[in-house]
Amino acid sequence: MTKQAVSLVLASGGARGIAHIGVIEELERQNFEIKAISGTSMGAIVGGIYAAGYLQEYKEWLLKLDKLDVFRLMDFTLSSHGFIKGMRIFDEIEPFLGNLSIEELPISFSAVAVDLIRQEEVVFRSGKLKDALRASVSIPNVLEPYRLDGQILIDGGILNPIPLNRVEHQEDNLLIAVDLNALDNNQPALKRRQKTHKKKKKEIKSLLKRIEFKEQWDRLFPKEKKEEEEFKIGYFDIMDSSFDMMQNQISKFSIEKYPPDILVSISKTVCGTFDFHLAQELIDFGKEKFNKSLIEYDEEIINKYLKSVKK
């Protein structure tokens, strides 16, 4: 059976990017073949690891994480450039990247970052994969910028959260994009079904006795506000909301200018930036949204797919 070729674009979006794994798994299950990937931030992480051939191992690692594990991965710093160094996280995912160069990958891949000094987009199509991913994921004021070859690099989502214009795209390929920056309140927040082990709860309680950890914990995992509670907004709320609105608008313009054949739209309301402990729920959600998007798309696109797949 001939597989339908796909050019895949994966957006930035923190922990929501785990939903990319579900989309990729469904593409493979339904006889699509991913020929090219372009990603920003978490989209670059998932896309790069998939292109390197280690997505299953990365998924298994993610599925083991709970809130405490995520917290322990955060190497906090007093730097004015960001409150997380990011070295501990990348030490953990190093086995999924190795010393691979982008040119060695069996799938065409590009990752997007932004050069803070030149104030311009940087597209990695060559060089060390781990350098490209670390640069692309440097969320301003959260993860420290990445210095490389005289550049100070930050999250590509600042200028190009859904890099539709950066993916290698052949005429016969379906262009599929996964947008993680939609503002759709009809997509409710995911809730973890598994209970935290009693031993873990004790560890968390003990850890939070130190006030500096309590502040960092609340910043990473803010409590859900009840409707009747008075609305309060702090520094990080303002920063996050502003970043969200900016990414949403840029994504809209990008999708209008470079319309994909199939768009999988996932709302920011689904989970928080650091909710990596919701990995299974996010993977399942990505699968569900992909299948709904495939059904909803117009007959012309579906017919294009059916004609291309010859038994």
Side-chain angles (χ1 to χ4, degrees):
M1 182 184 288
T2 304
K3 294 184 177 182
Q4 168 62 48
V6 167
S7 296
L8 183 63
V9 178
L10 303 177
S12 60
R16 291 188 304 283
I18 298 174
H20 291 320
I21 297 174
V23 173
I24 289 171
E25 288 184 343
E26 279 301 290
L27 282 167
E28 290 190 328
R29 188 182 72 81
Q30 298 192 40
N31 207 42
F32 292 92
E33 183 177 7
I34 300 169
K35 290 286 192 178
I37 302 175
S38 186
T40 296
S41 197
M42 191 61 184
I45 296 285
V46 174
I49 290 175
Y50 173 73
Y54 291 101
L55 189 64
Q56 182 60 33
E57 291 85 348
Y58 178 58
K59 172 186 171 180
E60 289 171 4
W61 174 74
L62 283 171
L63 290 174
K64 294 175 183 175
L65 299 178
D66 60 21
K67 273 189 180 182
L68 187 57
D69 295 324
V70 175
F71 187 74
R72 283 173 171 161
L73 286 171
M74 305 301 169
D75 41 1
F76 299 110
T77 173
L78 296 176
S79 168
S80 59
H81 301 145
F83 68 85
I84 298 171
K85 292 179 184 177
M87 297 303 295
R88 195 174 295 164
I89 300 168
F90 271 79
D91 284 345
E92 286 290 324
I93 66 173
E94 180 92 23
F96 314 128
L97 306 176
N99 205 35
L100 284 171
S101 296
I102 294 174
E103 302 95 308
E104 298 177 73
L105 300 177
I107 296 172
S108 172
F109 175 74
S110 62
V112 176
V114 171
D115 184 342
L116 198 58
I117 296 174
R118 296 179 178 82
Q119 298 185 2
E120 64 184 17
E121 191 176 339
V122 176
V123 183
F124 287 88
R125 300 187 188 277
S126 61
K128 294 299 179 186
L129 178 62
K130 59 185 177 183
D131 285 336
L133 302 193
R134 176 60 182 85
S136 184
V137 80
S138 300
I139 305 170
N141 293 324
V142 177
L143 215 63
E144 286 189 333
Y146 191 60
R147 295 175 183 268
L148 181 69
D149 299 332
Q151 299 171 306
I152 299 179
L153 300 167
I154 60 173
D155 196 299
I158 294 296
L159 292 180
N160 200 349
I162 183 165
L164 286 154
N165 60 330
R166 300 304 181 189
V167 71
E168 185 179 297
H169 184 53
Q170 305 296 327
E171 187 177 343
D172 292 336
N173 291 13
L174 276 179
L175 179 59
I176 298 178
V178 187
D179 178 20
L180 305 177
N181 299 299
L183 294 176
D184 180 4
N185 292 323
N186 292 321
Q187 290 185 22
L190 297 174
K191 295 184 183 295
R192 189 167 179 82
R193 293 184 290 273
Q194 298 174 1
K195 293 182 179 178
T196 304
H197 193 279
K198 285 184 179 180
K199 186 178 178 183
K200 288 286 186 182
K201 286 183 176 178
K202 286 182 179 179
E203 286 186 70
I204 293 171
K205 195 172 181 180
S206 173
L207 188 64
L208 297 187
K209 285 181 180 178
R210 294 180 60 180
I211 187 62
E212 65 271 26
F213 283 167
K214 177 69 167 66
E215 290 172 352
Q216 301 289 14
W217 180 276
D218 290 343
R219 186 182 299 178
L220 293 173
F221 309 111
K223 293 180 180 178
E224 291 182 20
K225 295 182 177 70
K226 296 179 181 178
E227 289 184 11
E228 63 271 15
E229 285 182 357
E230 181 184 351
F231 182 74
K232 296 179 181 179
I233 190 164
Y235 170 76
F236 284 97
D237 296 313
I238 295 171
M239 183 182 71
D240 288 345
S241 295
S242 301
F243 194 58
D244 285 353
M245 287 187 287
M246 178 192 71
Q247 284 195 312
N248 176 251
Q249 288 301 310
I250 296 174
S251 296
K252 277 184 179 179
F253 291 135
S254 184
I255 291 165
E256 287 173 7
K257 188 170 183 180
Y258 307 100
D261 294 318
I262 297 173
L263 175 66
V264 182
S265 185
I266 293 174
S267 176
K268 287 182 172 291
T269 58
V270 165
C271 74
T273 303
F274 295 97
D275 285 342
F276 291 92
H277 58 290
L278 297 176
Q280 186 63 66
E281 287 79 358
L282 285 161
I283 291 168
D284 292 343
F285 191 68
K287 291 180 180 182
E288 177 189 335
K289 292 298 293 181
F290 170 75
N291 285 316
K292 284 184 178 178
S293 298
L294 188 61
I295 291 169
E296 290 169 1
Y297 263 75
D298 64 20
E299 211 172 293
E300 183 182 342
I301 297 300
I302 301 302
N303 286 336
K304 177 181 175 182
Y305 163 64
L306 292 173
K307 286 176 183 177
S308 299
V309 179
K310 298 176 182 178
K311 294 186 178 181

